[in-house]
Amino acid sequence: MHAMVLSAAMLPLELQRRKTPVPGAGELRLRVLACAVCRTDLHIADGDLPLPVLPIVPGHEIVGVVEALGPGVGGYRIGDRVGVPWLGHSCGCCDFCIDGRENLCDAPRFTGYHRDGGFASHVIAEAAFCLPLTLPEADAARIAPLLCAGLIGWRSLKAAGEGARRLGLFGFGAAAHLVTQAAVAQGREVHAFTRPGDLEAQAFARSLGARWAGGSNACPPQPLDAAIIFAPAGELVPAALRAVRKGGRVVCGGIHMSGIPAFPYRWLWEERSIVSVANLTRADAREFLAFAQAHPLQVHVKTYPLMQANEALSDLRAGRIEGAAVLVP
């Protein structure tokens, strides 16, 4: 097999040839069809997140075909198409897991972070945390972004609250381009905030159903019920607070963000709130994939061969991608 490997806590990834792995008890070996590139992968490769394991193969938005089953695996057959998300394992016995919040597990293992991920031709995954894929979409590259951009976007949308009819999205990348469509399908009004002057991203947002699009330094035409921040820029938190109405909520949807600058208390006052979203649960995944099957989403992708993973990460960092970047082995 081939894999793009991070051997030190900084880019670049290196292409390596490895022995094709054998699945252990409760595991599947998948031949990777596509793996989307997430901003979390960029944070891992840039050293923004502490790395528990090196070397590591990044990638956690994986669509693959079952090639081998480990001992004790049921419910899957050779040739099944499955997805592998960020949450690769939870302990099942901590207070959070028992309470149905496995996304906050005290001893999790994340795909592409604690265990090798999908920037490779093959991957081993715990069967219990794989997702059967029954979507009619035949192109694996257009399914892969649903497995993190879609899932974390869905959890962020839920965190915004059902009553948030007028919704702002700060940072119009892979997650926002999917959340916009999901929110519009739910009857919400979307306002998209992009980098100032990024007219192409604003036009893209409007083409997907956004009612209004402008720079992150602009004020929306009306106060928002809630805002979701996908960009890893802490300075957007005060900006989002100023855009939401009394009682409004600001949701931080990323795993990493730069420092949040000080701001006057009056911007938070009147029962505004700031919350974060961490990881996902398998229940989130089942719910979102069912929604995506009932409400097909336009998934815009730019594909790269596996060996161009570093180029994909660079394009993501520079904001040169409309939609999601996807590696295809």
Side-chain angles (χ1 to χ4, degrees):
M1 63 168 279
H2 290 91
M4 294 298 291
V5 181
L6 184 68
S7 298
M10 291 292 285
L11 284 172
L13 305 178
E14 300 174 349
L15 183 64
Q16 293 184 4
R17 186 177 181 87
R18 296 178 166 187
K19 287 186 61 175
T20 302
V22 176
E27 295 181 332
L28 300 173
R29 183 177 76 224
L30 308 178
R31 177 172 55 84
V32 177
L33 300 178
C35 183
V37 181
C38 178
R39 185 162 290 276
T40 298
D41 298 316
L42 187 58
H43 291 315
I44 291 169
D46 283 350
D48 294 329
L49 300 176
L51 291 173
V53 177
L54 279 176
I56 189 71
V57 178
H60 58 271
E61 301 177 86
I62 308 165
V63 176
V65 172
V66 176
E67 200 174 70
L69 290 76
V73 173
Y76 289 101
R77 297 179 297 178
I78 303 298
D80 283 350
R81 187 172 65 169
V82 302
V84 182
W86 171 244
L87 184 65
H89 173 83
S90 61
C91 72
C93 59
C94 70
D95 289 344
F96 295 108
C97 286
I98 292 170
D99 194 36
R101 294 187 290 170
E102 64 184 7
N103 60 305
L104 300 178
C105 175
D106 286 334
R109 290 178 64 80
F110 298 122
T111 309
Y113 188 61
H114 294 104
R115 58 185 302 158
D116 285 338
F119 286 14
S121 59
H122 296 77
V123 67
I124 298 290
E126 192 170 328
F129 288 82
C130 291
L131 305 170
L133 294 176
T134 58
L135 296 164
E137 172 64 67
D139 185 357
R142 297 187 187 279
I143 296 174
L146 300 180
L147 297 170
C148 184
L151 290 181
I152 206 67
W154 180 255
R155 191 169 179 88
S156 298
L157 186 59
K158 290 170 64 178
E162 291 184 6
R165 311 313 299 170
R166 189 175 296 121
L167 181 70
L169 302 179
F170 285 76
F172 207 83
H177 103 281
L178 298 173
V179 169
T180 294
Q181 298 173 67
V184 169
Q186 293 177 333
R188 307 188 198 225
E189 180 182 309
V190 175
H191 294 68
F193 295 81
T194 71
R195 295 177 180 177
D198 193 344
L199 301 183
E200 289 185 7
Q202 293 164 23
F204 182 44
R206 286 189 289 268
S207 75
L208 295 173
R211 179 75 60 88
W212 175 92
S216 59
N217 57 348
C219 293
Q222 294 176 286
L224 307 172
D225 298 319
I228 302 173
I229 301 174
F230 291 117
E235 64 270 20
L236 293 178
V237 173
L241 278 173
R242 297 188 73 182
V244 299
R245 61 169 176 79
K246 292 183 285 187
R249 177 177 296 178
V250 173
V251 180
C252 300
I255 193 172
H256 172 79
M257 179 179 277
S258 60
I260 299 172
F263 55 87
Y265 173 67
R266 67 179 180 273
W267 296 357
L268 180 64
W269 189 57
E270 294 176 316
E271 299 193 353
R272 294 172 179 86
S273 61
I274 305 170
V275 299
S276 69
V277 167
N279 313 315
L280 64 133
T281 68
R282 285 171 287 181
D284 291 327
R286 291 189 292 267
E287 187 178 71
F288 173 67
L289 291 175
F291 179 90
Q293 186 149 2
H295 304 85
L297 305 175
Q298 299 178 48
V299 185
H300 293 253
V301 301
K302 181 178 181 180
T303 59
Y304 300 76
L306 177 62
M307 65 182 63
Q308 291 181 11
N310 289 308
E311 180 182 333
L313 289 167
S314 295
D315 287 347
L316 177 60
R317 183 189 294 105
R320 290 191 287 263
I321 298 167
E322 189 173 89
V326 180
L327 300 181
V328 180

